[in-house]
Amino acid sequence: MRPNIRRLKPYASARSEFSGEATVFLDANENPYNGPYNRYPDPLQRELKAGIGKLKQVAQENIFLGNGSDEAIDLLFRAFCEPRTDNVVAIEPTYGMYKVCADINDVEYRKVLLDGRFRFSARALLDASDEHTKLAFLCSPNNPTGNNLEKEEIKSLLRTFEGLVVLDEAYCDFSDAGSMAAELSHYPNLVILQTFSKAWGCAAIRLGMAFASMEVIEVLNNIKYPYNVNRLTQEEALRMLRKDADKKAWVETLKAERRRLERLVAPLPCTVELFPSDANFFLVRVTDANALYGYLVDHGIIVRNRHSVSLCGNCLRITVGTEEEDNALVGALRKWSEEHCLTKG
Ligand SMILES: *Cc1c(COP(=O)(O)O)cnc(C)c1O
């Protein structure tokens, strides 16, 4: 932990100083009118954590909630990485926010390339690290490659790396490999990130979760903005937890739709290689990603052009949509192929 964070006396908000039963609240300079939104929300989101903890089988003291996973990523840098001194390691390619947060916090970011099948090596991450390496970033299923990282390799890193291993599970609901949350008690250096933005269909409410040891969670709670998760978000997330069955149905629909879309895209003349996915998107190498991306934009269809990303030359990342949306995409891909590719077979 950074020395200034170790020494920090956290801000004590009116709402965190008092917890208990009362009827007259004259402690926070709030307006008494316009209930319930006149009141500051629970800074520790206790009711929501109880619901999430029950669903995920994680104790409340092991849960941090933030304004998206992005908040947890930023707070990990701010708590554990001394600017211009410490560094972090991460698999490459992966989610772009780890590097952006490292740059904002002036912390060196060391990329360790995945192999040709997008697998990572704990050894390679360790070799890239030194006594100033505080965090190691993994993402499984990985974005933008779509594949799961191997569990035994993750465990090997957890056993040998002396800093925190941040395992981003934003897409774990779509994967048969599931979550490693049940392993938290075995690995005090494991930090798991999950989010309401993908499987839960709640990207707009901005709610991210971090699961970790009580000690790490306490540090994150001490340095976060006091009311980082607003009341509307807490209410909507609680409502969604009661619709758990809807979320499960969406996940099953999207997994089946991904397989259907993969079967349609794989044989198209524009497709060079379609990479196996455990998420709600897949990566596909095409004959000319920049040209195809531009063509799709002109036809009102936006995918993610990953051409300039390591190991992803001429690759597009395609999110699974509704059947109708996906059919529109396939139609456009077919049309472009007819004009720009020699037909296969
Ligand atoms: C989409 C995504 C997230 C979600 O971030 P939020 O800030 O919670 O919306 C986190 N990690 C990865 C790898 C993602 O692709």
Side-chain angles (χ1 to χ4, degrees):
M1 207 191 307
R2 290 169 65 193
N4 61 313
I5 302 299
R6 198 184 290 282
R7 286 191 302 267
L8 181 75
K9 186 178 179 300
Y11 176 72
S13 63
R15 247 346 77 81
S16 61
E17 290 224 308
F18 173 82
S19 76
E21 291 298 309
T23 48
V24 180
F25 286 101
L26 304 176
D27 58 344
N29 297 347
E30 296 152 334
N31 188 324
Y33 307 111
N34 197 38
Y37 299 108
N38 59 332
R39 299 293 176 194
Y40 281 102
D42 177 2
L44 289 171
Q45 311 100 16
R46 277 166 273 233
E47 190 185 353
L48 182 52
K49 280 182 188 168
I52 290 170
K54 190 157 166 256
L55 188 78
K56 307 272 178 187
Q57 295 295 300
V58 174
Q60 281 181 64
E61 63 263 29
N62 298 118
I63 303 176
F64 166 85
L65 298 180
N67 188 329
S69 319
D70 294 344
E71 182 182 0
I73 295 166
D74 186 51
L75 292 182
L76 287 165
F77 277 100
R78 289 166 60 189
F80 298 106
C81 301
E82 193 62 32
R84 285 182 291 270
T85 301
D86 290 331
N87 66 73
V88 304
V89 292
I91 57 168
E92 169 75 12
T94 192
Y95 185 46
M97 272 310 284
Y98 317 139
K99 168 118 181 19
V100 172
C101 283
D103 289 346
I104 290 170
N105 287 286
D106 209 358
V107 170
E108 185 195 345
Y109 183 88
R110 300 182 176 179
K111 300 173 174 179
V112 180
L113 215 56
L114 298 171
D115 73 10
R117 286 164 62 190
F118 301 138
R119 291 172 304 191
F120 93 106
S121 143
R123 186 74 252 165
L125 281 172
L126 278 180
D127 286 346
S129 62
D130 59 25
E131 72 274 19
H132 290 294
T133 309
K134 299 302 178 71
L135 308 172
F137 284 94
L138 302 177
C139 182
S140 182
N142 188 33
N143 179 3
T145 59
N147 59 305
N148 285 321
L149 300 182
E150 207 195 328
K151 243 178 205 167
E152 280 313 311
E153 203 63 19
I154 298 173
K155 288 183 182 175
S156 162
L157 186 68
L158 282 163
R159 282 191 299 267
T160 50
F161 180 61
E162 302 206 11
L164 295 178
V165 174
V166 184
L167 174 62
D168 191 335
E169 295 185 336
Y171 300 98
C172 73
D173 299 270
F174 300 103
S175 164
D176 297 332
S179 169
M180 281 190 68
E183 308 276 354
L184 273 175
S185 58
H186 299 122
Y187 301 103
N189 60 338
L190 173 60
V191 180
I192 290 177
L193 303 180
Q194 292 188 12
T195 179
F196 273 69
S197 298
K198 307 290 158 61
W200 286 98
C202 285
I205 73 172
R206 308 307 302 133
L207 185 63
M209 301 166 267
F211 307 136
S213 73
M214 225 165 72
E215 289 80 2
V216 169
I217 296 301
E218 194 178 299
V219 174
L220 299 181
N221 282 336
N222 284 346
I223 67 174
K224 75 183 184 69
Y225 289 154
Y227 307 107
N228 61 328
V229 179
N230 71 69
R231 180 175 175 129
L232 292 164
T233 294
Q234 294 187 43
E235 285 175 350
E236 178 62 11
L238 275 164
R239 201 179 68 83
M240 289 306 296
L241 289 178
R242 291 191 288 272
K243 299 205 306 176
D244 179 30
D246 286 14
K247 173 232 166 198
K248 285 195 176 123
W250 292 335
V251 166
E252 288 315 309
T253 300
L254 289 170
K255 281 162 74 174
E257 178 62 11
R258 187 194 72 219
R259 288 188 285 268
R260 187 187 78 92
L261 183 57
E262 286 169 338
R263 280 195 295 271
L264 289 171
V265 171
L268 292 175
C270 62
T271 300
V272 174
E273 184 175 11
L274 195 151
F275 297 97
S277 167
D278 300 289
N280 66 330
F281 62 86
F282 58 86
L283 194 69
V284 59
R285 178 162 287 129
V286 295
T287 51
D288 186 343
N290 288 341
L292 185 46
Y293 175 80
Y295 176 88
L296 292 174
V297 169
D298 290 342
H299 290 76
I301 298 168
I302 315 301
V303 297
R304 194 91 156 112
N305 185 358
R306 299 285 75 187
H307 176 57
S308 57
V309 171
S310 320
L311 303 180
C312 299
N314 272 324
C315 286
L316 300 176
R317 192 195 68 192
I318 296 175
T319 306
V320 177
T322 63
E323 191 179 322
E324 198 180 14
E325 291 169 332
D326 297 340
N327 288 342
L329 171 75
V330 172
L333 292 176
R334 193 169 283 138
K335 192 125 195 300
W336 187 84
S337 294
E338 279 163 13
E339 290 164 25
H340 296 89
C341 305
L342 295 170
T343 47
K344 284 182 187 167

